[in-house]
Amino acid sequence: MLQQTSDKRLHVKPVSWHIENKREFKPLLEGWISEGETMLFYGASGSGKSLFAYNFAVAIAGDKSEWLEQPCATGVKTLYVDGEMATNTVAQRGEALGHHDNIAYCSVPCMDGTFNLSKQEDRELIYAEVRENDHQLVIIDNCRTLFAMADENSAESWTPVNELALHLRQLGCAVIVIHHTNKSGEYSGSSNAITVFDRTCCIEKNGSETDTHQQYWNLSAGIKSGRDGKGWGRWLANGCFVIGEDGLEMMDFSKAKHEQLNAIYQQLSGLDKAAPTKARISIVNDTLAAGIGNNRTLSNLWEHTKNWWAFFEDELHITDKKSMAAWLNSPVLPDLDEQGNFIPLTNPNSVFDAQPVFQH
């Protein structure tokens, strides 16, 4: 005979009970994340991950009800766990991007002793804080500093991350875990990294204004699109943002893209036909702030900029490394219509048949 060793019981209900108790997910930011959802939010070093996440927390903590021109929640109590920044740096961010008393900020560098969320006892500190103060959102910034993984490519290393996200979701929180990308621009680590996450989203540097050199960024939806049934907002694909006087602000995405393409075209057109491949790659890399480093190959450039080229897929028909290389060799600009929009090329093959086509 089995002995009862715990008061825990299975949650056994008919399917009809679950249908009757189905709830509506209220968005924290329309088309990006809803209450009770978990997200792995990733980007390259210096891509603005923390900048975006912190400003998002400030936006929903107050009563403005709109951020980046999208409806957002108000009065949301947030726990922000920061594994990198100490007092002065946190203060500088708050002065630049705003702050609100609804944000409880945990600066791990200011704590006594070590803190490692791979350990159960340290995760319990997060759970206790959430229960005691009714936080509705928890931001973990970031995996590498807070979980001290021995090997990101090990599925086992991600077990504590998944456990934390799942437990916080069970407590009623939305969760954003910030992470880094690998060399291909995807989240770094094992496929087990996204086991329990409802959404995955990437942030990327997208270049700068031609005249002011003001840096701007955009978001790219990942392979998981949430539990709220609403998916991603169209604004993710059609918008980008800059740092304004009151934090992040939306800007005209298409105008910025067109300026970048024109800048690349003008510089490439000024090169000698015999100019080396690396010179052409450098023009694109520098204009888009793609961050490919010293590995100036077409393959690396494509991996870092393929989302940018996708914006001009209809106009330039650039869909892979080979077609990108052909355009770099013989660049052309589409004509503009009366509204200033590009008109698709009538004979794209005239570009892609140009010789030589770089294969590096």
Side-chain angles (χ1 to χ4, degrees):
M1 182 176 178
L2 293 175
Q3 292 184 340
Q4 181 176 320
T5 58
S6 171
D7 292 332
K8 185 184 294 185
R9 295 286 188 274
L10 291 176
H11 189 271
V12 179
K13 300 285 184 182
V15 174
S16 58
W17 180 92
H18 292 276
I19 293 174
E20 292 169 2
N21 287 274
K22 187 174 102 172
R23 67 184 181 89
E24 183 75 18
F25 286 83
K26 296 180 181 178
L28 295 180
L29 178 63
E30 192 74 48
W32 194 61
I33 190 172
S34 291
E35 62 180 13
E37 288 190 324
T38 58
M39 175 188 289
L40 186 69
F41 185 54
Y42 54 95
S45 296
S47 61
K49 303 181 294 294
S50 299
L51 180 81
F52 187 94
Y54 175 77
N55 205 203
F56 167 61
V58 173
I60 64 175
D63 57 4
K64 292 183 178 180
S65 72
E66 183 179 281
W67 187 58
L68 296 181
E69 301 178 8
Q70 308 304 315
C72 71
T74 58
V76 176
K77 296 186 67 175
T78 298
L79 172 63
Y80 197 110
V81 185
D82 186 338
E84 293 184 352
M85 300 198 312
T87 300
N88 281 9
T89 315
V90 175
Q92 290 167 4
R93 176 184 288 177
E95 289 169 346
L97 300 177
H99 53 91
H100 198 283
D101 287 345
N102 274 335
I103 301 175
Y105 205 100
C106 171
S107 170
V108 171
C110 293
M111 293 175 62
D112 294 328
T114 60
F115 185 76
N116 181 359
L117 288 177
S118 288
K119 297 180 179 179
Q120 179 67 35
E121 58 265 34
D122 287 346
R123 295 197 298 274
E124 290 291 344
L125 296 176
I126 301 292
Y127 307 150
E129 170 66 24
V130 168
R131 285 191 295 264
E132 291 171 12
N133 294 287
D134 298 320
H135 296 299
Q136 299 157 274
L137 170 67
V138 177
I139 298 175
I140 303 295
D141 186 4
N142 59 64
C143 273
R144 287 182 178 171
T145 57
L146 292 172
F147 285 89
M149 295 183 190
D151 179 8
E152 287 182 358
N153 293 314
S154 165
E156 186 177 355
S157 294
W158 286 90
T159 300
V161 183
N162 289 329
E163 194 278 339
L164 178 80
L166 185 60
H167 194 91
L168 288 173
R169 191 174 73 183
Q170 290 170 339
L171 291 175
C173 285
V175 185
I176 298 174
V177 175
I178 298 176
H179 188 40
H180 291 76
T181 54
N182 56 26
K183 293 181 179 179
S184 298
E186 300 297 330
Y187 65 84
S188 180
S190 163
S191 58
N192 195 40
I194 61 171
T195 299
V196 304
F197 286 99
D198 302 310
R199 293 179 181 265
T200 53
C201 184
C202 180
I203 185 171
E204 302 168 299
K205 278 187 178 180
N206 210 288
S208 59
E209 287 272 19
T210 304
D211 297 330
T212 66
H213 303 290
Q214 185 179 32
Q215 182 69 55
Y216 57 89
W217 298 264
N218 73 284
L219 299 174
S220 177
I223 61 175
K224 302 187 78 173
S225 57
R227 292 188 300 144
D228 63 3
K230 299 175 183 177
W232 301 100
R234 289 186 178 181
W235 63 273
L236 265 74
N238 298 326
C240 60
F241 45 90
V242 298
I243 301 176
E245 293 182 0
D246 299 316
L248 298 183
E249 299 173 355
M250 293 293 286
M251 68 175 292
D252 187 337
F253 195 54
S254 59
K255 177 177 179 289
K257 290 284 193 181
H258 290 179
E259 286 185 352
Q260 287 179 318
L261 182 63
N262 186 62
I264 292 171
Y265 169 77
Q266 296 295 337
Q267 293 177 76
L268 290 175
S269 298
L271 290 178
D272 185 275
K273 276 291 184 182
T277 307
K278 286 187 177 181
R280 300 172 187 275
I281 292 172
S282 293
I283 286 173
V284 179
N285 177 62
D286 295 345
T287 303
L288 303 183
I292 65 173
N294 295 323
N295 186 16
R296 301 292 171 104
T297 64
L298 287 167
S299 295
N300 198 28
L301 181 67
W302 175 251
E303 288 299 328
H304 281 76
T305 62
K306 56 187 176 183
N307 289 333
W308 185 88
W309 293 107
F311 186 84
F312 298 107
E313 184 174 340
D314 291 340
E315 290 82 5
L316 297 179
H317 303 273
I318 295 176
T319 58
D320 55 21
K321 181 185 74 173
K322 182 178 179 180
S323 53
M324 178 190 71
W327 189 87
L328 294 181
N329 187 40
S330 296
V332 293
L333 279 182
D335 292 328
L336 297 175
D337 61 20
E338 293 180 357
Q339 287 74 43
N341 300 313
F342 283 136
I343 301 172
L345 295 174
T346 56
N347 185 18
N349 290 330
S350 64
V351 177
F352 305 140
D353 289 341
Q355 296 296 327
V357 173
F358 305 116
Q359 295 297 329
H360 302 296

